[in-house]
């Protein structure tokens, strides 16, 4: 119970999105978890848990693989059995106990996983603000770096995809699907695939430059152009930056698609920084 309380600020991230949770958990040990406020269910929480490599039946189903091994559950707010106010309970399963607080819920499921894929695993008793994400000191629970110099990371550029007027996650999903379709149909791989250095900086926006100076010279995405930055909905280490490009009186939306090169330079850090600085 004490460790659950001491690490509360690390596993309870109320404003995190589903994509944030997938990215933050994908490289952690099974049992690692994050609880956030549920968007779809009123007065409820969403629990994301990193599952073991395979389901209990030792069969990796397609649904399991698409989820990125991060499983999601709803924790509902329900009345306590003894009338002491509201408690929390794991939803969707029969005969689940009701706990007076999230810390009690977590402590119990660290010892007794019940219907969860495995027992919950508490993080070390250190604050997230002291961790280094992607090689940069973070200043909040989402890993957004401090200072006005911005963030600079190396990524693999996969291409730019027009997405008509699709927005947010739908645009990212279409662009990534298009990139995978091109890769599957081409014997030589993606024609514009190259390593780039991305520099996101307040006021200036996002610049990325071809490290080999072969396929790209430099792209500059101004803050006014950036509409959204999001990760692959299937949990892979791929993400996209959605921008609006204007030509005369018309405009179209484009997605620049990237993939991680180095696990020490996490895409989630860049996504959170861009979202915080340019799209919030």
């Amino acid at each position: 119970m004490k460790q659950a309380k001491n690490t509360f600020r690390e596993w309870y991230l109320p404003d995190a999105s589903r994509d944030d949770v997938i990215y933050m958990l994908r490289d952690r040990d099974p049992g690692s978890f994050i609880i956030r406020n549920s968007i779809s269910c009123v007065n409820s929480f969403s629990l994301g848990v990193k599952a073991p490599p395979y389901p209990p039946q030792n069969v990796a189903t397609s649904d399991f693989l698409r989820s990125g091994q991060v499983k999601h559950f709803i924790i509902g707010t329900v009345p306590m059995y003894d009338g002491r106010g509201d408690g929390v309970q794991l939803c969707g399963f029969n005969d689940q106990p009701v706990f007076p607080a999230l810390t009690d819920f977590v402590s119990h499921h660290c010892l007794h996983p019940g219907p969860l894929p495995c027992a919950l695993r508490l993080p070390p008793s250190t604050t997230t603000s002291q961790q280094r994400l992607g090689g940069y000191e973070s200043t909040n629970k989402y890993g957004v770096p401090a200072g006005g110099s911005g963030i600079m990371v190396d990524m693999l550029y996969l291409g730019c995809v027009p997405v008509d007027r699709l927005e947010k996650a739908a645009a990212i999903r279409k662009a990534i699907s298009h990139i995978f379709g091109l890769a599957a149909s081409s014997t030589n791989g993606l024609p514009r695939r190259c390593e780039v250095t991305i520099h996101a900086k307040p006021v200036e926006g996002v610049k990325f430059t071809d490290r080999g100076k072969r396929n790209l010279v430099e792209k500059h995405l101004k803050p006014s152009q950036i509409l959204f930055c999001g990760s692959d909905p299937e949990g892979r280490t791929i993400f996209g930056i959605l921008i609006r490009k204007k030509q005369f009186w018309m405009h179209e939306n484009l997605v620049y698609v990237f993939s991680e090169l180095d696990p020490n330079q996490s895409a989630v850090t860049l996504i959170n920084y861009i979202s915080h600085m340019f799209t919030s």
Side-chain angles (χ1 to χ4, degrees):
M1 173 69 76
K2 183 177 180 180
Q3 188 179 358
K5 290 182 178 179
N6 290 342
T7 58
F8 177 78
R9 293 182 181 274
E10 298 185 47
W11 52 258
Y12 177 55
L13 307 181
D15 300 323
S17 69
R18 185 185 180 96
D19 287 346
D20 290 333
V21 171
I22 290 174
Y23 262 104
M24 285 186 277
L25 293 178
R26 72 178 191 276
D27 295 326
R28 296 191 189 177
D29 294 329
S32 300
F33 69 98
I34 289 172
I35 295 177
R36 60 187 175 90
N37 293 347
S38 174
I39 297 175
S40 58
C41 299
V42 179
N43 295 327
S44 299
F45 305 93
S46 176
L47 167 66
V49 183
K50 176 65 178 291
Y54 298 101
Q57 298 83 2
N58 293 324
V59 177
T61 64
S62 58
D63 288 341
F64 184 81
L65 293 175
R66 279 197 298 269
S67 70
Q69 296 183 8
V70 177
K71 310 301 289 183
H72 301 271
F73 303 86
I74 292 294
I75 303 172
T77 302
V78 297
M80 294 287 292
Y81 295 135
D82 56 8
R84 291 183 298 161
D86 290 338
V88 292
Q89 181 185 47
L90 187 64
C91 297
F93 304 94
N94 295 327
D95 302 323
Q96 291 301 300
V98 179
F99 302 92
L102 285 175
T103 50
D104 300 280
F105 175 93
V106 167
S107 296
H108 174 84
H109 286 90
C110 284
L111 301 175
H112 310 285
L116 300 179
C118 58
L120 299 183
R121 181 188 181 101
L122 286 167
S125 298
T126 57
T127 59
T128 306
S129 62
Q130 294 174 338
Q131 295 177 347
R132 293 180 64 85
L133 297 176
Y136 297 88
E137 291 291 344
S138 62
T139 59
N140 64 22
K141 55 184 173 291
Y142 304 121
V144 175
S149 60
I151 179 173
M152 185 180 294
V153 292
D154 294 328
M155 295 287 168
L156 185 66
Y157 174 63
L158 300 179
C160 178
V161 181
V163 291
D164 299 320
R165 297 197 179 187
L166 288 177
E167 297 183 353
K168 297 188 176 181
I172 302 298
R173 184 182 297 109
K174 178 178 179 179
I176 292 176
S177 297
H178 179 78
I179 290 293
F180 271 83
L182 287 178
S185 61
S186 175
T187 57
N188 297 321
L190 296 172
R192 304 203 69 178
R193 173 175 170 172
C194 63
E195 296 182 9
V196 296
T197 297
I198 302 176
H199 190 185
K201 191 173 181 180
V203 181
E204 295 185 13
V206 178
K207 296 180 180 180
F208 59 95
T209 307
D210 178 13
R211 296 174 65 190
K213 304 296 182 183
R214 292 169 299 183
N215 299 326
L216 292 170
V217 177
E218 184 175 79
K219 291 289 183 182
H220 182 194
L221 312 180
K222 299 178 181 179
S224 60
Q225 292 180 288
I226 300 172
L227 302 177
F228 183 74
C229 185
S231 59
D232 178 17
E234 296 191 12
R236 293 167 294 205
T237 58
I238 303 170
F239 66 99
I241 302 175
L242 174 66
I243 71 160
R244 177 163 294 165
K245 182 179 180 181
K246 292 184 179 180
Q247 289 184 328
F248 302 106
W249 63 90
M250 301 180 64
H251 73 267
E252 65 174 341
N253 292 347
L254 305 174
V255 175
Y256 290 92
V257 182
F258 304 87
S259 177
E260 279 188 2
L261 272 174
D262 181 354
N264 292 321
Q265 299 187 59
S266 173
V268 70
T269 307
L270 181 64
I271 292 170
N272 289 329
Y273 185 86
I274 292 174
S275 299
H276 176 76
M277 294 301 301
F278 306 119
T279 67
S280 59

